[in-house]
Amino acid sequence: MADTMQFDLVSPERSLASLQVTAVQIPGADGDMTAMPMHAPTITTLRPGLLRVESPEGNSDYVVSGGFAEIGSEGLSVLAEKAIPVTEMTRDHLDELIEAARAAQAAAHETKEEHHTLVDDATKLLADMEALGEHINL
């Protein structure tokens, strides 16, 4: 069994990571999961949260606002809507994410048709963003 796998993290703004890792904890939309070498092939959507990377060179954490992860036996690719290394995260960044979530929630409430799933998803997004700030002490 391989000890490491290739990990790539990209967002529309930039490529944030491309390295060999031993494990990556992913904030999946259906629950948190850990991808390791020889993982069964899986594609999942991401919810806002903390993506934790463990590698032989050390560990690193990234705040992600959503996106997709494709996991295979040889590697993991994460395409994040927005991703920021925790070491670069500021209260201003978090406030921007929370404001975008509030705007999405307000827009969901203003839709002409009653669509509970859309409102519920927007409300969950806002709650996840606010909880994320507490989790990383911002």
Side-chain angles (χ1 to χ4, degrees):
M1 182 170 129
D3 292 336
T4 62
M5 67 179 180
Q6 179 62 34
F7 168 69
D8 294 293
L9 171 61
V10 296
S11 71
E13 294 88 19
R14 62 183 170 158
S15 174
L16 289 105
S18 182
L19 67 152
Q20 291 292 308
V21 300
T22 54
V24 179
Q25 295 175 15
I26 303 164
D30 293 325
D32 292 349
M33 62 189 305
T34 301
M36 300 174 78
M38 303 306 293
H39 194 286
T42 307
I43 295 177
T44 186
T45 54
L46 303 177
R47 65 171 169 71
L50 202 58
L51 186 112
R52 296 206 141 147
V53 179
E54 299 173 20
S55 74
E57 291 81 34
N59 300 341
S60 53
D61 297 333
Y62 299 88
V63 172
V64 295
S65 64
F68 298 91
E70 180 181 15
I71 307 165
S73 62
E74 302 292 319
L76 163 65
S77 295
V78 174
L79 308 172
E81 292 172 3
K82 188 167 195 107
I84 303 167
V86 167
T87 56
E88 296 176 16
M89 190 73 176
T90 65
R91 184 69 211 187
D92 288 341
H93 286 121
L94 182 62
D95 289 343
E96 287 175 21
L97 294 172
I98 290 172
E99 187 55 39
R102 281 193 180 123
Q105 183 186 37
H109 279 290
E110 291 175 4
T111 58
K112 301 268 188 224
E113 298 175 21
E114 192 64 28
H115 199 297
H116 293 291
T117 303
L118 185 61
V119 173
D120 291 346
D121 288 348
T123 301
K124 173 108 175 65
L125 173 65
L126 177 57
D128 284 344
M129 286 299 180
E130 290 172 342
L132 181 60
E134 292 176 19
H135 186 72
I136 61 173
N137 298 320
L138 283 181

PDB file of all heavy atoms in Angstrom, residues 42-72:
ATOM      1  N   THR A  42     -14.521   8.179  -5.241  1.00  0.00           N
ATOM      2  CA  THR A  42     -15.694   8.904  -4.745  1.00  0.00           C
ATOM      3  C   THR A  42     -15.659  10.327  -5.260  1.00  0.00           C
ATOM      4  O   THR A  42     -14.593  10.929  -5.369  1.00  0.00           O
ATOM      5  CB  THR A  42     -15.685   8.955  -3.193  1.00  0.00           C
ATOM      6  OG1 THR A  42     -15.557   7.641  -2.677  1.00  0.00           O
ATOM      7  CG2 THR A  42     -16.915   9.615  -2.640  1.00  0.00           C
ATOM      8  N   ILE A  43     -16.834  10.862  -5.545  1.00  0.00           N
ATOM      9  CA  ILE A  43     -16.975  12.295  -5.832  1.00  0.00           C
ATOM     10  C   ILE A  43     -17.987  12.824  -4.839  1.00  0.00           C
ATOM     11  O   ILE A  43     -19.049  12.227  -4.636  1.00  0.00           O
ATOM     12  CB  ILE A  43     -17.444  12.550  -7.275  1.00  0.00           C
ATOM     13  CG1 ILE A  43     -16.370  12.080  -8.262  1.00  0.00           C
ATOM     14  CG2 ILE A  43     -17.748  14.040  -7.474  1.00  0.00           C
ATOM     15  CD1 ILE A  43     -16.760  12.219  -9.716  1.00  0.00           C
ATOM     16  N   THR A  44     -17.665  13.929  -4.191  1.00  0.00           N
ATOM     17  CA  THR A  44     -18.568  14.512  -3.207  1.00  0.00           C
ATOM     18  C   THR A  44     -18.581  16.028  -3.333  1.00  0.00           C
ATOM     19  O   THR A  44     -17.623  16.617  -3.828  1.00  0.00           O
ATOM     20  CB  THR A  44     -18.168  14.095  -1.768  1.00  0.00           C
ATOM     21  OG1 THR A  44     -19.157  14.558  -0.848  1.00  0.00           O
ATOM     22  CG2 THR A  44     -16.819  14.667  -1.369  1.00  0.00           C
ATOM     23  N   THR A  45     -19.678  16.613  -2.910  1.00  0.00           N
ATOM     24  CA  THR A  45     -19.732  18.064  -2.826  1.00  0.00           C
ATOM     25  C   THR A  45     -19.230  18.486  -1.454  1.00  0.00           C
ATOM     26  O   THR A  45     -19.293  17.720  -0.492  1.00  0.00           O
ATOM     27  CB  THR A  45     -21.166  18.601  -3.048  1.00  0.00           C
ATOM     28  OG1 THR A  45     -22.047  17.957  -2.131  1.00  0.00           O
ATOM     29  CG2 THR A  45     -21.627  18.347  -4.465  1.00  0.00           C
ATOM     30  N   LEU A  46     -18.715  19.696  -1.384  1.00  0.00           N
ATOM     31  CA  LEU A  46     -18.202  20.232  -0.125  1.00  0.00           C
ATOM     32  C   LEU A  46     -19.191  21.214   0.474  1.00  0.00           C
ATOM     33  O   LEU A  46     -19.867  21.937  -0.250  1.00  0.00           O
ATOM     34  CB  LEU A  46     -16.881  20.975  -0.351  1.00  0.00           C
ATOM     35  CG  LEU A  46     -15.741  20.211  -0.996  1.00  0.00           C
ATOM     36  CD1 LEU A  46     -14.551  21.132  -1.198  1.00  0.00           C
ATOM     37  CD2 LEU A  46     -15.360  19.005  -0.172  1.00  0.00           C
ATOM     38  N   ARG A  47     -19.242  21.247   1.787  1.00  0.00           N
ATOM     39  CA  ARG A  47     -19.970  22.285   2.500  1.00  0.00           C
ATOM     40  C   ARG A  47     -18.917  23.231   3.061  1.00  0.00           C
ATOM     41  O   ARG A  47     -17.728  22.885   3.116  1.00  0.00           O
ATOM     42  CB  ARG A  47     -20.823  21.685   3.618  1.00  0.00           C
ATOM     43  CG  ARG A  47     -20.011  21.045   4.702  1.00  0.00           C
ATOM     44  CD  ARG A  47     -20.860  20.648   5.902  1.00  0.00           C
ATOM     45  NE  ARG A  47     -20.109  19.809   6.803  1.00  0.00           N
ATOM     46  CZ  ARG A  47     -19.108  20.221   7.574  1.00  0.00           C
ATOM     47  NH1 ARG A  47     -18.740  21.482   7.580  1.00  0.00           N
ATOM     48  NH2 ARG A  47     -18.467  19.368   8.343  1.00  0.00           N
ATOM     49  N   PRO A  48     -19.302  24.419   3.481  1.00  0.00           N
ATOM     50  CA  PRO A  48     -18.318  25.306   4.100  1.00  0.00           C
ATOM     51  C   PRO A  48     -17.699  24.631   5.328  1.00  0.00           C
ATOM     52  O   PRO A  48     -18.403  23.998   6.119  1.00  0.00           O
ATOM     53  CB  PRO A  48     -19.147  26.517   4.519  1.00  0.00           C
ATOM     54  CG  PRO A  48     -20.318  26.497   3.599  1.00  0.00           C
ATOM     55  CD  PRO A  48     -20.613  25.040   3.371  1.00  0.00           C
ATOM     56  N   GLY A  49     -16.399  24.743   5.430  1.00  0.00           N
ATOM     57  CA  GLY A  49     -15.725  24.130   6.573  1.00  0.00           C
ATOM     58  C   GLY A  49     -14.228  24.169   6.445  1.00  0.00           C
ATOM     59  O   GLY A  49     -13.663  24.883   5.616  1.00  0.00           O
ATOM     60  N   LEU A  50     -13.591  23.353   7.275  1.00  0.00           N
ATOM     61  CA  LEU A  50     -12.147  23.297   7.352  1.00  0.00           C
ATOM     62  C   LEU A  50     -11.650  22.038   6.651  1.00  0.00           C
ATOM     63  O   LEU A  50     -12.097  20.929   6.963  1.00  0.00           O
ATOM     64  CB  LEU A  50     -11.739  23.276   8.831  1.00  0.00           C
ATOM     65  CG  LEU A  50     -10.345  23.711   9.180  1.00  0.00           C
ATOM     66  CD1 LEU A  50     -10.064  25.131   8.701  1.00  0.00           C
ATOM     67  CD2 LEU A  50     -10.153  23.630  10.688  1.00  0.00           C
ATOM     68  N   LEU A  51     -10.758  22.210   5.707  1.00  0.00           N
ATOM     69  CA  LEU A  51     -10.126  21.110   4.990  1.00  0.00           C
ATOM     70  C   LEU A  51      -8.744  20.937   5.623  1.00  0.00           C
ATOM     71  O   LEU A  51      -7.952  21.882   5.613  1.00  0.00           O
ATOM     72  CB  LEU A  51     -10.014  21.461   3.503  1.00  0.00           C
ATOM     73  CG  LEU A  51      -9.501  20.364   2.609  1.00  0.00           C
ATOM     74  CD1 LEU A  51     -10.624  19.911   1.689  1.00  0.00           C
ATOM     75  CD2 LEU A  51      -8.348  20.860   1.792  1.00  0.00           C
ATOM     76  N   ARG A  52      -8.479  19.765   6.207  1.00  0.00           N
ATOM     77  CA  ARG A  52      -7.217  19.519   6.913  1.00  0.00           C
ATOM     78  C   ARG A  52      -6.347  18.581   6.090  1.00  0.00           C
ATOM     79  O   ARG A  52      -6.783  17.496   5.705  1.00  0.00           O
ATOM     80  CB  ARG A  52      -7.473  18.894   8.261  1.00  0.00           C
ATOM     81  CG  ARG A  52      -8.233  19.802   9.174  1.00  0.00           C
ATOM     82  CD  ARG A  52      -7.931  19.469  10.589  1.00  0.00           C
ATOM     83  NE  ARG A  52      -7.863  20.757  11.266  1.00  0.00           N
ATOM     84  CZ  ARG A  52      -8.219  20.936  12.502  1.00  0.00           C
ATOM     85  NH1 ARG A  52      -8.615  19.921  13.212  1.00  0.00           N
ATOM     86  NH2 ARG A  52      -8.138  22.124  13.040  1.00  0.00           N
ATOM     87  N   VAL A  53      -5.104  18.996   5.871  1.00  0.00           N
ATOM     88  CA  VAL A  53      -4.161  18.238   5.050  1.00  0.00           C
ATOM     89  C   VAL A  53      -3.016  17.744   5.931  1.00  0.00           C
ATOM     90  O   VAL A  53      -2.388  18.541   6.625  1.00  0.00           O
ATOM     91  CB  VAL A  53      -3.604  19.125   3.909  1.00  0.00           C
ATOM     92  CG1 VAL A  53      -2.599  18.357   3.064  1.00  0.00           C
ATOM     93  CG2 VAL A  53      -4.734  19.680   3.060  1.00  0.00           C
ATOM     94  N   GLU A  54      -2.766  16.438   5.886  1.00  0.00           N
ATOM     95  CA  GLU A  54      -1.649  15.843   6.615  1.00  0.00           C
ATOM     96  C   GLU A  54      -0.646  15.331   5.588  1.00  0.00           C
ATOM     97  O   GLU A  54      -1.006  14.547   4.705  1.00  0.00           O
ATOM     98  CB  GLU A  54      -2.127  14.684   7.486  1.00  0.00           C
ATOM     99  CG  GLU A  54      -3.142  15.098   8.534  1.00  0.00           C
ATOM    100  CD  GLU A  54      -3.742  13.910   9.277  1.00  0.00           C
ATOM    101  OE1 GLU A  54      -3.141  12.807   9.267  1.00  0.00           O
ATOM    102  OE2 GLU A  54      -4.827  14.090   9.852  1.00  0.00           O
ATOM    103  N   SER A  55       0.604  15.802   5.716  1.00  0.00           N
ATOM    104  CA  SER A  55       1.635  15.372   4.768  1.00  0.00           C
ATOM    105  C   SER A  55       2.940  15.114   5.516  1.00  0.00           C
ATOM    106  O   SER A  55       3.092  15.536   6.659  1.00  0.00           O
ATOM    107  CB  SER A  55       1.854  16.451   3.699  1.00  0.00           C
ATOM    108  OG  SER A  55       2.566  17.538   4.237  1.00  0.00           O
ATOM    109  N   PRO A  56       3.878  14.442   4.865  1.00  0.00           N
ATOM    110  CA  PRO A  56       5.179  14.208   5.508  1.00  0.00           C
ATOM    111  C   PRO A  56       5.897  15.515   5.878  1.00  0.00           C
ATOM    112  O   PRO A  56       6.676  15.546   6.819  1.00  0.00           O
ATOM    113  CB  PRO A  56       5.968  13.429   4.452  1.00  0.00           C
ATOM    114  CG  PRO A  56       4.922  12.749   3.626  1.00  0.00           C
ATOM    115  CD  PRO A  56       3.770  13.719   3.593  1.00  0.00           C
ATOM    116  N   GLU A  57       5.595  16.599   5.163  1.00  0.00           N
ATOM    117  CA  GLU A  57       6.228  17.895   5.439  1.00  0.00           C
ATOM    118  C   GLU A  57       5.546  18.663   6.565  1.00  0.00           C
ATOM    119  O   GLU A  57       6.031  19.689   7.002  1.00  0.00           O
ATOM    120  CB  GLU A  57       6.231  18.773   4.180  1.00  0.00           C
ATOM    121  CG  GLU A  57       7.142  18.285   3.081  1.00  0.00           C
ATOM    122  CD  GLU A  57       6.490  17.176   2.255  1.00  0.00           C
ATOM    123  OE1 GLU A  57       5.257  17.203   2.057  1.00  0.00           O
ATOM    124  OE2 GLU A  57       7.219  16.274   1.823  1.00  0.00           O
ATOM    125  N   GLY A  58       4.375  18.201   7.005  1.00  0.00           N
ATOM    126  CA  GLY A  58       3.627  18.892   8.052  1.00  0.00           C
ATOM    127  C   GLY A  58       2.163  19.014   7.669  1.00  0.00           C
ATOM    128  O   GLY A  58       1.755  18.613   6.581  1.00  0.00           O
ATOM    129  N   ASN A  59       1.392  19.561   8.565  1.00  0.00           N
ATOM    130  CA  ASN A  59      -0.040  19.698   8.357  1.00  0.00           C
ATOM    131  C   ASN A  59      -0.407  21.129   7.988  1.00  0.00           C
ATOM    132  O   ASN A  59       0.280  22.070   8.381  1.00  0.00           O
ATOM    133  CB  ASN A  59      -0.798  19.283   9.615  1.00  0.00           C
ATOM    134  CG  ASN A  59      -0.528  17.840  10.006  1.00  0.00           C
ATOM    135  OD1 ASN A  59      -0.082  17.044   9.191  1.00  0.00           O
ATOM    136  ND2 ASN A  59      -0.790  17.504  11.246  1.00  0.00           N
ATOM    137  N   SER A  60      -1.512  21.270   7.248  1.00  0.00           N
ATOM    138  CA  SER A  60      -2.011  22.604   6.901  1.00  0.00           C
ATOM    139  C   SER A  60      -3.529  22.548   6.823  1.00  0.00           C
ATOM    140  O   SER A  60      -4.112  21.504   6.545  1.00  0.00           O
ATOM    141  CB  SER A  60      -1.403  23.101   5.585  1.00  0.00           C
ATOM    142  OG  SER A  60      -1.583  22.161   4.559  1.00  0.00           O
ATOM    143  N   ASP A  61      -4.145  23.682   7.111  1.00  0.00           N
ATOM    144  CA  ASP A  61      -5.604  23.798   7.106  1.00  0.00           C
ATOM    145  C   ASP A  61      -6.031  24.892   6.147  1.00  0.00           C
ATOM    146  O   ASP A  61      -5.363  25.918   6.022  1.00  0.00           O
ATOM    147  CB  ASP A  61      -6.129  24.149   8.504  1.00  0.00           C
ATOM    148  CG  ASP A  61      -5.845  23.070   9.539  1.00  0.00           C
ATOM    149  OD1 ASP A  61      -5.726  21.896   9.156  1.00  0.00           O
ATOM    150  OD2 ASP A  61      -5.756  23.408  10.732  1.00  0.00           O
ATOM    151  N   TYR A  62      -7.183  24.661   5.489  1.00  0.00           N
ATOM    152  CA  TYR A  62      -7.748  25.623   4.551  1.00  0.00           C
ATOM    153  C   TYR A  62      -9.232  25.795   4.856  1.00  0.00           C
ATOM    154  O   TYR A  62      -9.929  24.823   5.138  1.00  0.00           O
ATOM    155  CB  TYR A  62      -7.603  25.122   3.103  1.00  0.00           C
ATOM    156  CG  TYR A  62      -6.176  24.911   2.686  1.00  0.00           C
ATOM    157  CD1 TYR A  62      -5.538  23.696   2.913  1.00  0.00           C
ATOM    158  CD2 TYR A  62      -5.449  25.923   2.074  1.00  0.00           C
ATOM    159  CE1 TYR A  62      -4.223  23.488   2.547  1.00  0.00           C
ATOM    160  CE2 TYR A  62      -4.133  25.733   1.697  1.00  0.00           C
ATOM    161  CZ  TYR A  62      -3.526  24.511   1.934  1.00  0.00           C
ATOM    162  OH  TYR A  62      -2.215  24.319   1.571  1.00  0.00           O
ATOM    163  N   VAL A  63      -9.709  27.018   4.763  1.00  0.00           N
ATOM    164  CA  VAL A  63     -11.133  27.295   4.861  1.00  0.00           C
ATOM    165  C   VAL A  63     -11.688  27.191   3.448  1.00  0.00           C
ATOM    166  O   VAL A  63     -11.159  27.816   2.521  1.00  0.00           O
ATOM    167  CB  VAL A  63     -11.387  28.708   5.430  1.00  0.00           C
ATOM    168  CG1 VAL A  63     -12.863  29.070   5.345  1.00  0.00           C
ATOM    169  CG2 VAL A  63     -10.893  28.793   6.859  1.00  0.00           C
ATOM    170  N   VAL A  64     -12.730  26.374   3.273  1.00  0.00           N
ATOM    171  CA  VAL A  64     -13.385  26.257   1.968  1.00  0.00           C
ATOM    172  C   VAL A  64     -14.851  26.646   2.122  1.00  0.00           C
ATOM    173  O   VAL A  64     -15.465  26.412   3.161  1.00  0.00           O
ATOM    174  CB  VAL A  64     -13.256  24.837   1.360  1.00  0.00           C
ATOM    175  CG1 VAL A  64     -11.810  24.514   1.044  1.00  0.00           C
ATOM    176  CG2 VAL A  64     -13.850  23.781   2.268  1.00  0.00           C
ATOM    177  N   SER A  65     -15.390  27.266   1.088  1.00  0.00           N
ATOM    178  CA  SER A  65     -16.786  27.718   1.155  1.00  0.00           C
ATOM    179  C   SER A  65     -17.736  26.768   0.426  1.00  0.00           C
ATOM    180  O   SER A  65     -18.939  26.969   0.456  1.00  0.00           O
ATOM    181  CB  SER A  65     -16.916  29.119   0.559  1.00  0.00           C
ATOM    182  OG  SER A  65     -16.584  29.091  -0.809  1.00  0.00           O
ATOM    183  N   GLY A  66     -17.213  25.758  -0.196  1.00  0.00           N
ATOM    184  CA  GLY A  66     -18.008  24.808  -0.969  1.00  0.00           C
ATOM    185  C   GLY A  66     -17.183  24.346  -2.146  1.00  0.00           C
ATOM    186  O   GLY A  66     -16.031  24.745  -2.316  1.00  0.00           O
ATOM    187  N   GLY A  67     -17.757  23.475  -2.962  1.00  0.00           N
ATOM    188  CA  GLY A  67     -17.053  22.979  -4.132  1.00  0.00           C
ATOM    189  C   GLY A  67     -17.238  21.487  -4.286  1.00  0.00           C
ATOM    190  O   GLY A  67     -18.250  20.923  -3.860  1.00  0.00           O
ATOM    191  N   PHE A  68     -16.223  20.832  -4.883  1.00  0.00           N
ATOM    192  CA  PHE A  68     -16.281  19.404  -5.165  1.00  0.00           C
ATOM    193  C   PHE A  68     -14.943  18.759  -4.836  1.00  0.00           C
ATOM    194  O   PHE A  68     -13.896  19.402  -4.944  1.00  0.00           O
ATOM    195  CB  PHE A  68     -16.578  19.156  -6.654  1.00  0.00           C
ATOM    196  CG  PHE A  68     -17.903  19.692  -7.088  1.00  0.00           C
ATOM    197  CD1 PHE A  68     -18.013  20.984  -7.579  1.00  0.00           C
ATOM    198  CD2 PHE A  68     -19.041  18.912  -6.990  1.00  0.00           C
ATOM    199  CE1 PHE A  68     -19.243  21.491  -7.975  1.00  0.00           C
ATOM    200  CE2 PHE A  68     -20.274  19.408  -7.376  1.00  0.00           C
ATOM    201  CZ  PHE A  68     -20.374  20.703  -7.869  1.00  0.00           C
ATOM    202  N   ALA A  69     -14.991  17.485  -4.471  1.00  0.00           N
ATOM    203  CA  ALA A  69     -13.773  16.698  -4.261  1.00  0.00           C
ATOM    204  C   ALA A  69     -13.903  15.409  -5.052  1.00  0.00           C
ATOM    205  O   ALA A  69     -14.940  14.749  -5.009  1.00  0.00           O
ATOM    206  CB  ALA A  69     -13.575  16.391  -2.786  1.00  0.00           C
ATOM    207  N   GLU A  70     -12.855  15.081  -5.788  1.00  0.00           N
ATOM    208  CA  GLU A  70     -12.784  13.810  -6.503  1.00  0.00           C
ATOM    209  C   GLU A  70     -11.659  12.993  -5.876  1.00  0.00           C
ATOM    210  O   GLU A  70     -10.498  13.399  -5.901  1.00  0.00           O
ATOM    211  CB  GLU A  70     -12.514  14.021  -7.988  1.00  0.00           C
ATOM    212  CG  GLU A  70     -12.445  12.715  -8.740  1.00  0.00           C
ATOM    213  CD  GLU A  70     -12.161  12.892 -10.226  1.00  0.00           C
ATOM    214  OE1 GLU A  70     -11.735  13.988 -10.645  1.00  0.00           O
ATOM    215  OE2 GLU A  70     -12.368  11.922 -10.963  1.00  0.00           O
ATOM    216  N   ILE A  71     -12.043  11.874  -5.299  1.00  0.00           N
ATOM    217  CA  ILE A  71     -11.090  11.019  -4.590  1.00  0.00           C
ATOM    218  C   ILE A  71     -10.886   9.746  -5.404  1.00  0.00           C
ATOM    219  O   ILE A  71     -11.837   9.140  -5.887  1.00  0.00           O
ATOM    220  CB  ILE A  71     -11.630  10.636  -3.200  1.00  0.00           C
ATOM    221  CG1 ILE A  71     -12.030  11.879  -2.415  1.00  0.00           C
ATOM    222  CG2 ILE A  71     -10.602   9.804  -2.434  1.00  0.00           C
ATOM    223  CD1 ILE A  71     -12.887  11.585  -1.204  1.00  0.00           C
ATOM    224  N   GLY A  72      -9.624   9.355  -5.534  1.00  0.00           N
ATOM    225  CA  GLY A  72      -9.286   8.102  -6.185  1.00  0.00           C
ATOM    226  C   GLY A  72      -8.208   7.397  -5.392  1.00  0.00           C
ATOM    227  O   GLY A  72      -7.698   7.927  -4.408  1.00  0.00           O
TER     228      GLY A  72
END
